[in-house]
Amino acid sequence: MKYILATDLDNTLVGDDQATKNLNQKLAAKRQELYLIYATGRSYSSAVELMHKKQLLEPDYWVTGVGTEIYHQSQRNTFWESKISDQWEPQIITSIAQSFKQLSPQSLREQNPWKISFYLNQPQNSDILEELKTQLNELGLAYQMIFSSGRDVDILPYNANKGLAITYLRKHLHIPVELTLVCGDSGNDIHLFEQSTLGTIVNNAQPELINWYECNLSPNLYWSNCSYAWGIIEGLQYFQLLK
Ligand code: GLC
Ligand code: MG
């Protein structure tokens, strides 16, 4: 039976070119044994650009925009899009979030109909995220907010994130949790690790993910000794998926 390798791109698969190359060679030699999925915060166009720039393998599926978009052979999954449109009110959320001067909108390329993204100007201003949540909650809006790398603020539908998108694909492909390995380094990967699959946190992970890991220790989760794609290789070996 095939297994799934679902990995984040920036600072996980990508970050150390030698490591990426080494992992690519290992996976290419056994390409038929796995479903390869890239799960990234980037937009699809930006992720594809990175694939070409860093000579990444072509994945079977793309989960982009922090789980708001799923692509297969360049085709968007419209079923997923209609599912995550449930109770999603982007205009109201955007207008409230824009009133916080500590938040600067990210580029248009990184926005999509289900992803409203900002940069927090100063990491020490993270209290305002609680204030923003309070205002959204008072209006009874359905959403989730994901804070990554002390800087990136993503507001998404309540039922869209990397973890939920991977679970949707995993079920679609009929692969059990024991044969699914997810890998990541930052806050937007936390939901990946919450899906009861196997998980590898690369050594160079951000504090928000390490803190989460330390509060959620489990035999299914492994914080690797190596960084970037070396950490993915270590995780594949630890869980005996790469023989
Ligand atoms: C990527 C995306 C950005 C997002 C961040 C965290 O950097 O480009 O839009 O905020 O991931 O999810
Ligand atoms: Mg990352």
Side-chain angles (χ1 to χ4, degrees):
M1 192 180 207
K2 286 193 179 189
Y3 70 92
I4 290 176
L5 172 61
T7 180
D8 170 51
L9 297 178
D10 293 276
N11 297 314
T12 304
L13 178 61
V14 173
D16 177 329
D17 290 344
Q18 201 53 43
T20 307
K21 196 172 165 195
N22 197 295
L23 175 60
N24 279 352
Q25 284 166 352
K26 287 186 164 56
L27 297 179
K30 309 239 174 181
R31 192 64 187 84
Q32 297 313 315
E33 294 178 17
L34 75 146
Y35 289 110
L36 181 61
I37 309 178
Y38 294 153
T40 176
R42 288 181 182 240
S43 60
Y44 178 69
S45 67
S46 155
V48 170
E49 204 172 278
L50 184 70
M51 175 180 78
H52 292 306
K53 185 169 159 215
K54 294 290 179 180
Q55 297 177 299
L56 307 179
L57 300 179
E58 178 86 40
D60 297 292
Y61 292 87
W62 295 89
V63 166
T64 57
V66 200
T68 56
E69 306 166 310
I70 297 176
Y71 281 80
H72 177 54
Q73 293 169 346
S74 314
Q75 295 294 310
R76 282 164 40 196
N77 183 318
T78 51
F79 171 79
W80 182 251
E81 294 177 355
S82 63
K83 188 176 157 72
I84 66 174
S85 298
D86 179 43
Q87 298 177 51
W88 175 235
E89 306 214 40
Q91 288 84 359
I92 311 176
I93 295 174
T94 305
S95 68
I96 296 173
Q98 276 173 344
S99 67
F100 285 79
K101 62 179 184 328
Q102 300 88 342
L103 295 175
S104 316
Q106 292 188 15
S107 69
L108 277 180
R109 189 188 196 185
E110 294 304 329
Q111 316 285 345
N112 76 39
W114 303 272
K115 175 174 178 278
I116 308 167
S117 294
F118 295 90
Y119 294 124
L120 181 70
N121 296 346
Q122 305 268 330
Q124 60 269 32
N125 283 340
S126 61
D127 291 356
I128 66 115
L129 299 180
E130 291 311 311
E131 172 55 26
L132 173 55
K133 282 185 198 167
T134 305
Q135 291 192 20
L136 298 174
N137 294 343
E138 275 168 2
L139 292 173
L141 292 162
Y143 70 94
Q144 66 187 294
M145 191 181 293
I146 300 180
F147 187 44
S148 309
S149 313
R151 186 187 75 150
D152 304 328
V153 181
D154 300 310
I155 310 177
L156 314 174
Y158 74 92
N159 54 355
N161 58 46
K162 288 188 185 185
L164 294 172
I166 292 298
T167 293
Y168 164 79
L169 288 174
R170 184 182 65 68
K171 289 183 175 166
H172 172 74
L173 296 168
H174 303 289
I175 304 292
V177 283
E178 318 82 71
L179 288 178
T180 302
L181 176 66
V182 300
C183 305
D185 77 297
S186 82
N188 75 5
D189 300 312
I190 290 175
H191 294 102
L192 274 179
F193 296 109
E194 284 181 339
Q195 306 295 315
S196 312
T197 63
L198 308 174
T200 295
I201 292 152
V202 288
N203 189 271
N204 54 290
Q206 292 289 322
E208 71 264 2
L209 177 57
I210 296 170
N211 292 341
W212 177 88
Y213 166 75
E214 286 174 342
C215 297
N216 292 274
L217 295 177
S218 142
N220 294 342
L221 297 179
Y222 179 65
W223 183 17
S224 64
N225 295 306
C226 300
S227 292
Y228 306 106
W230 299 120
I232 305 178
I233 297 173
E234 191 184 326
L236 283 164
Q237 286 165 344
Y238 179 84
F239 292 114
Q240 301 185 340
L241 292 168
L242 197 67
K243 288 172 194 109

